[in-house]
Amino acid sequence: MRLLPSFCLLAIVSISALFGNEPPERTRLYTTPDPACAGGFKGRITEPAKSIEQILAIPSASQEKVYMGAITGSTRNEFQFTGLPPGKYDLAVIYDDAFFDGVTLSKEENTLTEEDLKKIEETLLKSEPFYPKKIINRVEGQTGRGSPAALICTFMREKKSDLMAEYKPGEFFREDFKRTYKLFTFKDVGVGWQVVRARDLYPTWVKPVLVAPPKYTFTKSLSGIRVTDELKDLGDLDITK
């Protein structure tokens, strides 16, 4: 019988601890931390003074990757990311009724025109008919053929679902509602704007009493957190400012 090295066993335990309680539909969304990387960061969110539901770190240079943080503390307001490759990261913090993020949508000046925004919204509203309600929280990009745009959106389905990937044996619908946050990349193809990539950040089921769109806030302090080869302590954070 071949024995795994101790660092591999530790990595398996860490990954299990990180993803163990996550629904399968979210677990497969997130990038597995690299046990060979010593970089990461931790912190404590003091405002808003409530329990974190989910916290994510997105590399500014490769937004197809999304890392899930470990939430700790007696009131679930502390977090930690480990196994992150060196680089800059943006955070998204999710509560039951609020969504904060510092995601870098464009490194260049935002030059989108009213006509661009109209066409982007038209394309977005036609996408994913499973979600009738689509809210653009923030959009940035450049105008002109071939130019990009990026969006942070909230998608909601405010009725029970009979099309679901996860269900208990004998159950083919859910009475609760579906909600997700998405990171979109668009491109101006001349005749309009086209979706290049759509990235789910946090799909979840919510009770009908929680169906109101969560409050959205962009927080600059959640942007550009640099990771090197050690664990950085970000201290206490007020992300409402």
Side-chain angles (χ1 to χ4, degrees):
M1 179 177 176
R2 184 182 177 184
L3 296 178
L4 290 173
S6 59
F7 71 85
C8 290
L9 292 174
L10 180 60
I12 292 171
V13 171
S14 298
I15 293 169
S16 175
L18 186 62
F19 293 127
N21 296 323
E22 280 297 302
E25 67 172 342
R26 288 206 294 271
T27 299
R28 59 178 173 263
L29 286 177
Y30 303 132
T31 306
T32 302
D34 185 346
C37 294
F41 50 85
K42 64 179 181 178
R44 180 188 302 105
I45 297 178
T46 56
E47 291 293 337
K50 56 192 303 182
S51 297
I52 300 169
E53 191 166 304
Q54 183 74 287
I55 186 164
L56 306 171
I58 304 170
S60 302
S62 53
Q63 294 182 328
E64 71 277 4
K65 298 179 181 179
V66 178
Y67 295 87
M68 183 179 70
I71 303 169
T72 60
S74 59
T75 59
R76 288 181 57 83
N77 71 328
E78 300 176 28
F79 64 88
Q80 181 168 307
F81 290 89
T82 56
L84 298 183
K88 288 186 177 181
Y89 291 79
D90 303 323
L91 292 184
V93 188
I94 298 155
Y95 296 91
D96 60 351
D97 61 352
F99 177 48
F100 296 78
D101 86 84
V103 177
T104 302
L105 297 183
S106 177
K107 295 182 179 180
E108 300 179 22
E109 180 184 358
N110 179 30
T111 59
L112 294 175
T113 66
E114 289 297 323
E115 185 65 19
D116 289 327
L117 296 175
K118 179 182 177 182
K119 290 182 178 180
I120 287 171
E121 184 176 27
E122 288 174 353
T123 300
L124 184 77
L125 292 178
K126 293 176 184 176
S127 70
E128 300 193 40
F130 179 80
Y131 294 100
K133 177 176 284 188
K134 302 173 177 72
I135 302 168
I136 299 176
N137 298 313
R138 188 161 54 94
V139 54
E140 293 181 11
Q142 288 73 51
T143 192
R145 183 166 186 163
S147 296
L151 299 75
I152 291 283
C153 303
T154 301
F155 277 32
M156 300 176 66
R157 179 178 175 85
E158 299 169 308
K159 55 184 177 180
K160 70 180 183 182
S161 302
D162 55 6
L163 299 172
M164 52 182 294
E166 296 178 74
Y167 55 84
K168 298 177 182 178
E171 293 183 4
F172 296 92
F173 65 88
R174 292 186 64 145
E175 296 288 348
D176 44 359
F177 299 161
K178 190 71 179 285
R179 182 178 72 206
T180 187
Y181 304 108
K182 287 179 174 285
L183 173 59
F184 276 92
T185 302
F186 275 61
K187 182 178 181 180
D188 184 345
V189 294
V191 295
W193 285 82
Q194 178 179 302
V195 176
V196 176
R197 184 175 67 232
R199 183 69 158 86
D200 271 293
L201 297 179
Y202 186 66
T204 189
W205 297 94
V206 298
K207 299 300 180 183
V209 294
L210 297 175
V211 74
K215 180 182 178 182
Y216 173 78
T217 305
F218 171 71
T219 303
K220 183 64 177 176
S221 62
L222 295 176
S223 301
I225 299 171
R226 183 175 294 279
V227 169
T228 56
D229 58 354
E230 59 182 14
L231 184 67
K232 179 188 296 184
D233 189 349
L234 302 179
D236 293 345
L237 302 174
D238 178 351
I239 65 173
T240 62
K241 297 179 178 179

